[in-house]
């Protein structure tokens, strides 16, 4: 109902009376009035004049399904979206509802107060400034192939940004960078058994309109936002839809056989690591090596003094020789 009323307001160039809305939707005028007040509380600017009715002046910069829908061209990704004003972690919420949810269900929140990174790290997620969302996925693939989903997510973000004229690169396995600094991280979690997946939760966090003051001092050397780098405000609704659209396209291909297929080329082209000497940190142990390639399984091929090894994304952190990259 909420969505229907909002659409009527959006489609009307002029004032529309409460009576007309109530006739169209078969609800009372009092109910219409209640909804209008709820919209105002969410930040919609609605002018009301007695005997003329209501007119939508502006929509707030928020990410409920009603706002994203018009840019969305997916079949199933994001069609069931659970929207929150504030939450501890969208990944956590997605896990709670995953078993009963349809594939493609998205949990999205304006802020996270317990945002999670990999390996128990924290992810800062200030209100109304970024995209903090998690997608529930249920592919019939072997659990060993799950880490590839992160790679598909990374490509979806890079391509969506490209569609909006923004150039970015991937720092394998789960960071997206603009001008060499991190604007996005991906956290993929799985529940299942040895040979069967119950569900995968892919969480994407994107620093969209964060200002310098939103980035803690200890992260400033490696973290930035799209707004800081591009010098302009970015439409979060369009970017969110764009990511879901591109993700679905690649994910449908992936689901067929659990292989990355042709997108491996995009991963290579977008990689900031290929050719670089890096530190590979696994459970406290650090080794230096030169990144040669990303193989067809999405693993990092690194040349160490002892020979070439394929690095699986599991518990690994990759760093530049003396910094983030
Ligand atoms: C990641 O971990 O990069 C995965 C981040 C995933 C966040 C999303 S938001 C929606 C969903 N719900 C969640 O609770 N999580 C997911 P990792 O590679 O471990 O990087 C974490 C490190 O990045 C931290 O230790 C900080 O150093 C840094 N960091 C924290 N917040 C950041 C931010 N907003 N932007 C850039 N770097 C950040």
């Amino acid at each position: 109902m909420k969505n229907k009323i909002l659409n009527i307001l959006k489609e009307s160039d002029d004032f529309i009376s409460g009576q007309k809305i109530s006739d169209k939707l078969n609800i009372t005028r009092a109910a219409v009035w209640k909804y209008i007040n709820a919209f105002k509380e969410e930040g919609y600017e609605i002018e009301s004049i007695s005997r003329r009715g209501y007119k939508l002046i502006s929509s707030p910069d928020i990410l409920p399904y009603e706002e994203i829908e018009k840019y969305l061209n997916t079949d199933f990704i994001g069609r069931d979206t659970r929207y929150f004003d504030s939450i501890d972690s969208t990944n956590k919420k997605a896990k709670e509802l995953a078993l009963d949810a349809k594939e493609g269900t998205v949990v999205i929140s304006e802020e996270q107060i317990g945002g999670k990174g990999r390996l128990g790290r924290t992810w800062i997620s200030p209100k109304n400034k970024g995209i903090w969302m998690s997608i529930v996925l249920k592919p019939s693939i072997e659990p060993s192939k799950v880490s590839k989903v992160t790679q598909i997510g990374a490509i979806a973000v890079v391509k969506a940004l490209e569609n909006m004229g923004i150039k970015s690169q991937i720092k394998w396995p789960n960071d997206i960078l603009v001008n060499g600094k991190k604007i996005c991280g991906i956290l993929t979690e799985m529940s299942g058994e040895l040979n069967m997946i119950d569900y995968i939760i892919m969480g994407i966090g994107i620093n969209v309109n964060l200002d310098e003051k939103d980035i803690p001092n200890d992260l400033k050397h490696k973290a930035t936002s799209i707004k800081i780098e591009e010098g302009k405000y970015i439409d979060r609704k369009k970017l969110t839809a764009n990511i879901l659209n591109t993700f679905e396209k690649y994910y449908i291909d992936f689901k067929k056989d659990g292989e990355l297929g042709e997108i491996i080329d995009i991963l290579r082209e977008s990689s900031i690591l290929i050719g670089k000497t890096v530190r590979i940190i696994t459970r406290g142990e650090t080794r230096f090596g030169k990144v040669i390639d990303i193989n067809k399984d999405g693993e990092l091929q690194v040349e160490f003094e002892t020979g070439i090894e394929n690095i699986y994304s599991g518990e690994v952190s990759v760093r530049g020789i003396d910094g983030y990259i």
Side-chain angles (χ1 to χ4, degrees), residues 281-309:
I281 307 158
T282 323
R283 284 178 229 98
E285 186 209 5
T286 300
R287 293 194 295 162
F288 288 85
K290 184 173 176 186
V291 178
I292 300 180
D293 200 359
I294 293 173
N295 72 15
K296 71 170 192 24
D297 292 321
E299 296 163 349
L300 200 65
Q301 261 179 0
V302 183
E303 185 175 18
F304 295 105
E305 271 184 351
T306 45
I308 294 175
E309 285 178 37

Side-chain angles (χ1 to χ4, degrees), residues 89-90 112 116 118 121-122 124 174 182 207 219 222:
S89 150
T90 57
Q112 293 184 119
K116 295 191 299 176
R118 298 192 309 148
R121 299 176 189 134
T122 20
I124 59 141
N174 67 314
K182 183 160 173 174
N207 301 338
L219 293 185
K222 63 171 181 180

Side-chain angles (χ1 to χ4, degrees), residues 131 133 156-157 160 204 206 239-248:
I131 299 171
M133 67 175 172
V157 174
I204 304 182
I206 308 183
L239 182 55
T240 304
N242 226 319
I243 291 169
L244 298 176
N245 292 342
T246 37
F247 179 75
E248 181 175 280

Side-chain angles (χ1 to χ4, degrees), residues 44-57:
Y44 289 88
E45 201 187 331
I46 298 171
E47 206 178 327
S48 36
I49 298 184
S50 61
R51 280 196 288 277
R52 290 190 70 190
Y54 307 105
K55 184 172 161 76
L56 179 64
I57 308 292

Side-chain angles (χ1 to χ4, degrees), residues 113-159:
I113 47 180
K116 295 191 299 176
R118 298 192 309 148
L119 313 170
R121 299 176 189 134
T122 20
W123 183 257
I124 59 141
S125 323
K127 193 155 197 174
N128 302 114
K129 301 257 180 156
I131 299 171
W132 327 119
M133 67 175 172
S134 303
I135 311 177
V136 177
L137 301 168
K138 300 183 171 181
S140 324
I141 55 165
E142 288 161 33
S144 62
K145 296 186 168 172
V146 168
S147 65
K148 292 178 187 167
V149 170
T150 305
Q151 308 297 303
I152 298 171
I155 283 184
V157 174
V158 168
K159 284 292 168 189

Side-chain angles (χ1 to χ4, degrees), residues 26-158:
N26 214 2
I27 55 173
T28 63
R29 281 177 59 179
V32 173
W33 183 79
K34 257 194 182 164
Y35 278 111
I36 298 279
N37 280 342
F39 289 139
K40 284 183 181 167
E41 273 192 8
E42 280 180 20
Y44 289 88
E45 201 187 331
I46 298 171
E47 206 178 327
S48 36
I49 298 184
S50 61
R51 280 196 288 277
R52 290 190 70 190
Y54 307 105
K55 184 172 161 76
L56 179 64
I57 308 292
S58 68
S59 299
D61 176 20
I62 52 173
L63 301 172
Y65 181 67
E66 302 89 89
E67 292 298 325
I68 295 169
E69 187 190 11
K70 59 176 176 283
Y71 306 110
L72 205 61
N73 57 34
T74 57
D75 177 23
F76 62 99
I77 299 283
R79 289 298 169 186
D80 181 353
T81 289
R82 318 284 174 96
Y83 171 73
F84 297 85
D85 183 51
S86 180
I87 205 168
D88 47 359
S89 150
T90 57
N91 261 40
K92 189 166 167 236
K93 184 54 142 188
K95 270 189 244 169
E96 281 165 25
L97 52 83
L99 281 178
D100 297 321
K102 280 197 287 251
E103 174 162 72
T105 298
V106 167
V107 178
I108 190 160
S109 182
E110 295 297 344
E111 114 179 299
Q112 293 184 119
I113 47 180
K116 295 191 299 176
R118 298 192 309 148
L119 313 170
R121 299 176 189 134
T122 20
W123 183 257
I124 59 141
S125 323
K127 193 155 197 174
N128 302 114
K129 301 257 180 156
I131 299 171
W132 327 119
M133 67 175 172
S134 303
I135 311 177
V136 177
L137 301 168
K138 300 183 171 181
S140 324
I141 55 165
E142 288 161 33
S144 62
K145 296 186 168 172
V146 168
S147 65
K148 292 178 187 167
V149 170
T150 305
Q151 308 297 303
I152 298 171
I155 283 184
V157 174
V158 168

